[in-house]
Amino acid sequence: MLGTTLVLKQFVEQYPQAEDAPDALLQLGMISEFVNKETEAKNYYDLLARNFATHALAPKAQGALRRLTSEGQVMQLAGPVLGTGQAFDI
């Protein structure tokens, strides 16, 4: 896993705007989480969310950031009620 991480880091540093950079950043974030490096994971997810805001992976990075920073925060839960479409907000 260390080799993969190193290759992905080098790729993102050398080609920060490459077509595959968002995927590399997401992978780096997930690997960092897996090895308990939360700060690094947050940084990778943040880079993806900020630098590629319109990319299909940006919402996933934003969700991961929300999850990683949710401890001690008030949880917001809202959405439509199934079958009726009425609004629900806990």
Side-chain angles (χ1 to χ4, degrees), residues 26-37:
L26 183 65
Q27 294 297 318
L28 284 165
M30 292 189 313
I31 291 169
S32 297
E33 276 193 80
F34 185 73
V35 295
N36 293 322
K37 294 184 177 182

Side-chain angles (χ1 to χ4, degrees), residues 59-76:
K60 190 168 189 169
Q62 293 164 346
L65 278 171
R66 271 193 305 276
R67 177 175 45 78
L68 291 173
T69 58
S70 66
E71 188 173 330
Q73 302 295 318
V74 176
M75 185 174 172
Q76 296 179 2

Side-chain angles (χ1 to χ4, degrees), residues 2-85:
L2 181 60
T4 302
T5 304
L6 183 59
V7 170
L8 288 171
K9 282 182 183 180
Q10 288 174 342
F11 174 78
V12 170
E13 288 171 4
Q14 289 179 342
Y15 308 102
Q17 296 301 316
E19 183 178 336
D20 292 330
D23 188 49
L25 288 167
L26 183 65
Q27 294 297 318
L28 284 165
M30 292 189 313
I31 291 169
S32 297
E33 276 193 80
F34 185 73
V35 295
N36 293 322
K37 294 184 177 182
E38 245 181 60
T39 302
E40 281 185 29
K42 289 176 191 177
N43 291 336
Y44 290 126
Y45 292 139
D46 184 56
L47 277 174
L48 171 51
R50 280 187 298 111
N51 294 349
F52 299 94
T54 60
H55 193 277
L57 293 176
K60 190 168 189 169
Q62 293 164 346
L65 278 171
R66 271 193 305 276
R67 177 175 45 78
L68 291 173
T69 58
S70 66
E71 188 173 330
Q73 302 295 318
V74 176
M75 185 174 172
Q76 296 179 2
L77 180 61
V81 176
L82 294 178
T84 67

